[in-house]
Amino acid sequence: MIIDLHAHSDASDGTDSPAELVRTAAAADVGVLAITDHDTTGGWVEAAKARPPLMTLIRGAEFSTQVTVDGRSASVHLLGYLFDAQDPVIVEEQARLKQERRRRGLAIVERMVADGLPISAEQVLGIAGNAPVGRPHIGRALVASGVVTSVDEAFATLLAGQAKYFVPKVDTDLGTAVRMISAAGGASVLAHPRGRGERRVLTSDFIGKLAVEGLAGLEVNHPDHDRAERAELKEIATRHGLLGTGSSDYHGSNKQLRIGQESTAPAVLTALIERTSGITVPLGPVGRAR
Ligand code: AMP
Ligand code: ZN
């Protein structure tokens, strides 16, 4: 059975609606799917309604965080699973991040417009709809306006972190986010802890400290990780008693990834569920192991 614990809908920056995401997963033989939109639980209800009886849905989110280790900073994504979506601290932080993403997205657009690129704030906000604004929404505006031919191309050029249009956003402190997810009854897993160079600041020693603070696992098998990175992460996970997951990070047509192209072992899923308090439960056949 394919267990894919990282996928995005158009509640954030994927292109499938939550219902389409669930259907796409079912058609690809994914038996357990986690919906993990960036900084929002806005897709949970629609995904739950669309869940086929034989599929298990794990409700989660991908939290935007930042960290500084030994004077080096990085933006790090943290997957949170089965936490209480009504937890006041999480509700408040997600509301702040939504505002922050809007401010930052519009600042990027403003720089592009000032440079003569034929996109507009209204266009990007229209593409984002109710989702927290992300660079992929700007990428789609750039594709629609004929500036680039794909979102991938936009990320490789105009939307890159080194591009002159880039504007950072103020994310949640990583340690704070780990504790916040635990306090809300959930379990946290570092998303793609290698993949991009800056994430090398996440040393084994630092990951060990996060484990002490409540981190449950590392995303070991991710499309951005090569063989050596997977081996290294597996070793770090073993050293610190962390779970090692595998997931696609599917984004619909925004990224060239197949849903279910990476999978998590059933025993790891069981252990992950055991790390949660039961406020939010898996929906479907793979229930709580306790
Ligand atoms: P942002 O969160 O606004 O900084 O945008 C970065 C996010 O865009 C990443 O977390 C990815 O999940 C997503 N993304 C979607 N499509 C792409 C792509 N083609 N290349 C890189 N990132 C992408
Ligand atoms: Zn993701």
mmCIF file of all heavy atoms in Angstrom, residues 73-75 104 108 111-112 115 135 152-168 195-199:
data_model
loop_
_atom_site.group_PDB
_atom_site.id
_atom_site.type_symbol
_atom_site.label_atom_id
_atom_site.label_comp_id
_atom_site.label_asym_id
_atom_site.label_seq_id
_atom_site.Cartn_x
_atom_site.Cartn_y
_atom_site.Cartn_z
ATOM 1 N N SER A 73 21.411 31.024 8.821
ATOM 2 C CA SER A 73 19.947 30.956 8.837
ATOM 3 C C SER A 73 19.424 30.141 7.667
ATOM 4 O O SER A 73 20.054 30.059 6.613
ATOM 5 C CB SER A 73 19.361 32.357 8.746
ATOM 6 O OG SER A 73 19.803 33.099 9.843
ATOM 7 N N ALA A 74 18.250 29.567 7.861
ATOM 8 C CA ALA A 74 17.599 28.822 6.772
ATOM 9 C C ALA A 74 16.101 28.871 6.963
ATOM 10 O O ALA A 74 15.602 29.012 8.086
ATOM 11 C CB ALA A 74 18.068 27.373 6.773
ATOM 12 N N SER A 75 15.388 28.784 5.838
ATOM 13 C CA SER A 75 13.945 28.610 5.931
ATOM 14 C C SER A 75 13.690 27.113 5.834
ATOM 15 O O SER A 75 14.235 26.418 4.969
ATOM 16 C CB SER A 75 13.245 29.423 4.836
ATOM 17 O OG SER A 75 12.991 28.631 3.736
ATOM 18 N N ARG A 104 4.045 39.858 1.525
ATOM 19 C CA ARG A 104 5.266 39.505 0.811
ATOM 20 C C ARG A 104 4.994 39.203 -0.659
ATOM 21 O O ARG A 104 5.742 39.632 -1.543
ATOM 22 C CB ARG A 104 5.892 38.338 1.562
ATOM 23 C CG ARG A 104 7.094 37.705 0.946
ATOM 24 C CD ARG A 104 6.709 36.578 0.029
ATOM 25 N NE ARG A 104 7.822 35.691 -0.118
ATOM 26 C CZ ARG A 104 7.712 34.397 -0.336
ATOM 27 N NH1 ARG A 104 6.519 33.839 -0.392
ATOM 28 N NH2 ARG A 104 8.774 33.667 -0.501
ATOM 29 N N ILE A 108 6.553 41.267 -3.924
ATOM 30 C CA ILE A 108 7.258 40.668 -5.078
ATOM 31 C C ILE A 108 6.617 41.169 -6.381
ATOM 32 O O ILE A 108 7.305 41.584 -7.324
ATOM 33 C CB ILE A 108 7.215 39.121 -5.010
ATOM 34 C CG1 ILE A 108 8.019 38.613 -3.803
ATOM 35 C CG2 ILE A 108 7.738 38.502 -6.313
ATOM 36 C CD1 ILE A 108 7.947 37.096 -3.580
ATOM 37 N N ARG A 111 7.533 44.700 -7.265
ATOM 38 C CA ARG A 111 8.871 44.807 -7.879
ATOM 39 C C ARG A 111 8.831 44.389 -9.347
ATOM 40 O O ARG A 111 9.497 44.983 -10.191
ATOM 41 C CB ARG A 111 9.872 43.912 -7.139
ATOM 42 C CG ARG A 111 10.207 44.427 -5.767
ATOM 43 C CD ARG A 111 11.294 43.595 -5.126
ATOM 44 N NE ARG A 111 11.595 44.146 -3.802
ATOM 45 C CZ ARG A 111 12.645 43.827 -3.077
ATOM 46 N NH1 ARG A 111 13.515 42.948 -3.538
ATOM 47 N NH2 ARG A 111 12.857 44.369 -1.906
ATOM 48 N N MET A 112 8.051 43.355 -9.636
ATOM 49 C CA MET A 112 7.974 42.881 -11.030
ATOM 50 C C MET A 112 7.267 43.902 -11.915
ATOM 51 O O MET A 112 7.702 44.179 -13.033
ATOM 52 C CB MET A 112 7.246 41.534 -11.079
ATOM 53 C CG MET A 112 8.076 40.417 -10.453
ATOM 54 S SD MET A 112 7.222 38.821 -10.527
ATOM 55 C CE MET A 112 8.586 37.719 -10.091
ATOM 56 N N ASP A 115 9.264 46.784 -12.859
ATOM 57 C CA ASP A 115 10.259 46.420 -13.860
ATOM 58 C C ASP A 115 9.616 46.162 -15.227
ATOM 59 O O ASP A 115 10.287 45.718 -16.160
ATOM 60 C CB ASP A 115 10.965 45.140 -13.382
ATOM 61 C CG ASP A 115 12.461 45.217 -13.581
ATOM 62 O OD1 ASP A 115 12.979 46.343 -13.743
ATOM 63 O OD2 ASP A 115 13.094 44.154 -13.570
ATOM 64 N N ARG A 135 4.669 31.816 -3.805
ATOM 65 C CA ARG A 135 5.327 32.126 -5.082
ATOM 66 C C ARG A 135 4.747 31.345 -6.258
ATOM 67 O O ARG A 135 4.711 31.876 -7.380
ATOM 68 C CB ARG A 135 6.843 31.894 -4.957
ATOM 69 C CG ARG A 135 7.557 33.045 -4.253
ATOM 70 C CD ARG A 135 9.047 32.800 -4.162
ATOM 71 N NE ARG A 135 9.355 31.829 -3.136
ATOM 72 C CZ ARG A 135 10.520 31.179 -3.033
ATOM 73 N NH1 ARG A 135 11.468 31.390 -3.919
ATOM 74 N NH2 ARG A 135 10.717 30.331 -2.045
ATOM 75 N N ASP A 152 7.920 25.916 -13.161
ATOM 76 C CA ASP A 152 9.314 25.500 -12.928
ATOM 77 C C ASP A 152 10.288 26.544 -13.459
ATOM 78 O O ASP A 152 11.264 26.900 -12.793
ATOM 79 C CB ASP A 152 9.602 24.157 -13.644
ATOM 80 C CG ASP A 152 9.304 22.966 -12.740
ATOM 81 O OD1 ASP A 152 9.196 23.166 -11.517
ATOM 82 O OD2 ASP A 152 9.163 21.848 -13.270
ATOM 83 N N GLU A 153 10.012 27.004 -14.677
ATOM 84 C CA GLU A 153 10.903 28.022 -15.270
ATOM 85 C C GLU A 153 10.871 29.297 -14.426
ATOM 86 O O GLU A 153 11.902 29.934 -14.200
ATOM 87 C CB GLU A 153 10.475 28.320 -16.726
ATOM 88 C CG GLU A 153 11.444 29.247 -17.441
ATOM 89 C CD GLU A 153 10.904 29.757 -18.791
ATOM 90 O OE1 GLU A 153 10.009 29.121 -19.369
ATOM 91 O OE2 GLU A 153 11.385 30.816 -19.228
ATOM 92 N N ALA A 154 9.677 29.666 -13.951
ATOM 93 C CA ALA A 154 9.564 30.870 -13.109
ATOM 94 C C ALA A 154 10.425 30.723 -11.857
ATOM 95 O O ALA A 154 11.149 31.646 -11.457
ATOM 96 C CB ALA A 154 8.104 31.111 -12.724
ATOM 97 N N PHE A 155 10.372 29.507 -11.224
ATOM 98 C CA PHE A 155 11.164 29.294 -10.012
ATOM 99 C C PHE A 155 12.661 29.290 -10.312
ATOM 100 O O PHE A 155 13.464 29.701 -9.475
ATOM 101 C CB PHE A 155 10.762 27.983 -9.324
ATOM 102 C CG PHE A 155 9.742 28.193 -8.238
ATOM 103 C CD1 PHE A 155 8.389 28.038 -8.494
ATOM 104 C CD2 PHE A 155 10.133 28.575 -6.970
ATOM 105 C CE1 PHE A 155 7.450 28.248 -7.495
ATOM 106 C CE2 PHE A 155 9.208 28.791 -5.963
ATOM 107 C CZ PHE A 155 7.863 28.622 -6.229
ATOM 108 N N ALA A 156 13.009 28.836 -11.514
ATOM 109 C CA ALA A 156 14.442 28.778 -11.856
ATOM 110 C C ALA A 156 14.989 30.170 -12.181
ATOM 111 O O ALA A 156 16.204 30.378 -12.163
ATOM 112 C CB ALA A 156 14.646 27.841 -13.043
ATOM 113 N N THR A 157 14.088 31.105 -12.444
ATOM 114 C CA THR A 157 14.567 32.430 -12.863
ATOM 115 C C THR A 157 14.017 33.532 -11.941
ATOM 116 O O THR A 157 14.586 33.840 -10.915
ATOM 117 C CB THR A 157 14.162 32.714 -14.330
ATOM 118 O OG1 THR A 157 12.727 32.575 -14.459
ATOM 119 C CG2 THR A 157 14.835 31.741 -15.282
ATOM 120 N N LEU A 158 12.844 34.074 -12.296
ATOM 121 C CA LEU A 158 12.328 35.281 -11.630
ATOM 122 C C LEU A 158 11.940 35.084 -10.165
ATOM 123 O O LEU A 158 11.967 36.028 -9.381
ATOM 124 C CB LEU A 158 11.107 35.808 -12.407
ATOM 125 C CG LEU A 158 11.337 36.019 -13.905
ATOM 126 C CD1 LEU A 158 10.031 36.313 -14.616
ATOM 127 C CD2 LEU A 158 12.323 37.154 -14.110
ATOM 128 N N LEU A 159 11.537 33.874 -9.801
ATOM 129 C CA LEU A 159 11.062 33.633 -8.431
ATOM 130 C C LEU A 159 12.137 33.047 -7.516
ATOM 131 O O LEU A 159 11.881 32.786 -6.332
ATOM 132 C CB LEU A 159 9.856 32.674 -8.446
ATOM 133 C CG LEU A 159 8.562 33.237 -9.032
ATOM 134 C CD1 LEU A 159 7.512 32.133 -9.155
ATOM 135 C CD2 LEU A 159 8.022 34.374 -8.164
ATOM 136 N N ALA A 160 13.313 32.851 -8.049
ATOM 137 C CA ALA A 160 14.376 32.215 -7.251
ATOM 138 C C ALA A 160 14.758 33.092 -6.061
ATOM 139 O O ALA A 160 14.585 34.312 -6.084
ATOM 140 C CB ALA A 160 15.595 31.978 -8.134
ATOM 141 N N GLY A 161 15.272 32.445 -5.033
ATOM 142 C CA GLY A 161 15.686 33.173 -3.831
ATOM 143 C C GLY A 161 16.760 34.217 -4.109
ATOM 144 O O GLY A 161 16.882 35.207 -3.397
ATOM 145 N N GLN A 162 17.535 34.010 -5.180
ATOM 146 C CA GLN A 162 18.613 34.952 -5.504
ATOM 147 C C GLN A 162 18.139 36.024 -6.492
ATOM 148 O O GLN A 162 18.880 36.952 -6.804
ATOM 149 C CB GLN A 162 19.823 34.238 -6.138
ATOM 150 C CG GLN A 162 20.383 33.053 -5.374
ATOM 151 C CD GLN A 162 19.507 31.800 -5.489
ATOM 152 O OE1 GLN A 162 18.758 31.645 -6.448
ATOM 153 N NE2 GLN A 162 19.548 30.937 -4.479
ATOM 154 N N ALA A 163 16.913 35.905 -6.985
ATOM 155 C CA ALA A 163 16.430 36.849 -8.010
ATOM 156 C C ALA A 163 16.225 38.239 -7.400
ATOM 157 O O ALA A 163 15.982 38.369 -6.199
ATOM 158 C CB ALA A 163 15.112 36.346 -8.598
ATOM 159 N N LYS A 164 16.273 39.259 -8.234
ATOM 160 C CA LYS A 164 16.176 40.623 -7.695
ATOM 161 C C LYS A 164 14.771 40.929 -7.187
ATOM 162 O O LYS A 164 14.572 41.911 -6.484
ATOM 163 C CB LYS A 164 16.607 41.648 -8.744
ATOM 164 C CG LYS A 164 15.753 41.682 -9.997
ATOM 165 C CD LYS A 164 16.257 42.817 -10.898
ATOM 166 C CE LYS A 164 15.514 42.839 -12.209
ATOM 167 N NZ LYS A 164 15.827 43.987 -13.042
ATOM 168 N N TYR A 165 13.802 40.101 -7.549
ATOM 169 C CA TYR A 165 12.420 40.359 -7.109
ATOM 170 C C TYR A 165 12.112 39.711 -5.765
ATOM 171 O O TYR A 165 11.059 39.932 -5.181
ATOM 172 C CB TYR A 165 11.442 39.803 -8.152
ATOM 173 C CG TYR A 165 11.691 40.341 -9.536
ATOM 174 C CD1 TYR A 165 12.161 39.517 -10.556
ATOM 175 C CD2 TYR A 165 11.481 41.693 -9.821
ATOM 176 C CE1 TYR A 165 12.406 40.007 -11.823
ATOM 177 C CE2 TYR A 165 11.727 42.196 -11.086
ATOM 178 C CZ TYR A 165 12.186 41.348 -12.078
ATOM 179 O OH TYR A 165 12.432 41.856 -13.327
ATOM 180 N N PHE A 166 13.032 38.876 -5.281
ATOM 181 C CA PHE A 166 12.713 38.071 -4.090
ATOM 182 C C PHE A 166 12.536 38.940 -2.852
ATOM 183 O O PHE A 166 13.304 39.846 -2.582
ATOM 184 C CB PHE A 166 13.823 37.048 -3.819
ATOM 185 C CG PHE A 166 13.512 36.149 -2.653
ATOM 186 C CD1 PHE A 166 12.592 35.112 -2.788
ATOM 187 C CD2 PHE A 166 14.084 36.369 -1.407
ATOM 188 C CE1 PHE A 166 12.278 34.294 -1.701
ATOM 189 C CE2 PHE A 166 13.781 35.552 -0.321
ATOM 190 C CZ PHE A 166 12.871 34.522 -0.468
ATOM 191 N N VAL A 167 11.486 38.649 -2.110
ATOM 192 C CA VAL A 167 11.232 39.311 -0.819
ATOM 193 C C VAL A 167 11.009 38.180 0.194
ATOM 194 O O VAL A 167 10.193 37.287 -0.048
ATOM 195 C CB VAL A 167 9.978 40.215 -0.886
ATOM 196 C CG1 VAL A 167 9.696 40.839 0.476
ATOM 197 C CG2 VAL A 167 10.127 41.286 -1.961
ATOM 198 N N PRO A 168 11.735 38.212 1.320
ATOM 199 C CA PRO A 168 11.526 37.142 2.314
ATOM 200 C C PRO A 168 10.254 37.374 3.126
ATOM 201 O O PRO A 168 9.673 38.458 3.082
ATOM 202 C CB PRO A 168 12.760 37.253 3.215
ATOM 203 C CG PRO A 168 13.225 38.666 3.076
ATOM 204 C CD PRO A 168 12.785 39.159 1.724
ATOM 205 N N GLY A 195 17.836 18.646 0.288
ATOM 206 C CA GLY A 195 17.151 19.244 -0.867
ATOM 207 C C GLY A 195 17.704 20.578 -1.324
ATOM 208 O O GLY A 195 18.230 20.688 -2.409
ATOM 209 N N ARG A 196 17.604 21.590 -0.479
ATOM 210 C CA ARG A 196 18.183 22.881 -0.845
ATOM 211 C C ARG A 196 19.369 23.124 0.062
ATOM 212 O O ARG A 196 19.311 22.813 1.252
ATOM 213 C CB ARG A 196 17.158 24.005 -0.645
ATOM 214 C CG ARG A 196 16.316 24.250 -1.859
ATOM 215 C CD ARG A 196 15.842 25.703 -1.985
ATOM 216 N NE ARG A 196 15.522 26.356 -0.734
ATOM 217 C CZ ARG A 196 14.293 26.803 -0.416
ATOM 218 N NH1 ARG A 196 13.299 26.618 -1.235
ATOM 219 N NH2 ARG A 196 14.089 27.443 0.711
ATOM 220 N N GLY A 197 20.425 23.671 -0.502
ATOM 221 C CA GLY A 197 21.695 23.828 0.202
ATOM 222 C C GLY A 197 21.573 24.432 1.585
ATOM 223 O O GLY A 197 22.190 23.959 2.549
ATOM 224 N N GLU A 198 20.731 25.463 1.714
ATOM 225 C CA GLU A 198 20.671 26.186 2.987
ATOM 226 C C GLU A 198 20.214 25.285 4.139
ATOM 227 O O GLU A 198 20.507 25.545 5.294
ATOM 228 C CB GLU A 198 19.765 27.411 2.885
ATOM 229 C CG GLU A 198 18.306 27.090 2.682
ATOM 230 C CD GLU A 198 17.434 28.359 2.665
ATOM 231 O OE1 GLU A 198 17.687 29.235 1.817
ATOM 232 O OE2 GLU A 198 16.532 28.463 3.487
ATOM 233 N N ARG A 199 19.513 24.201 3.790
ATOM 234 C CA ARG A 199 19.000 23.336 4.859
ATOM 235 C C ARG A 199 20.109 22.489 5.497
ATOM 236 O O ARG A 199 19.880 21.811 6.481
ATOM 237 C CB ARG A 199 17.863 22.456 4.339
ATOM 238 C CG ARG A 199 16.725 23.320 3.830
ATOM 239 C CD ARG A 199 15.404 22.641 3.751
ATOM 240 N NE ARG A 199 14.404 23.604 3.317
ATOM 241 C CZ ARG A 199 13.824 23.613 2.117
ATOM 242 N NH1 ARG A 199 14.131 22.698 1.233
ATOM 243 N NH2 ARG A 199 12.939 24.532 1.809
#
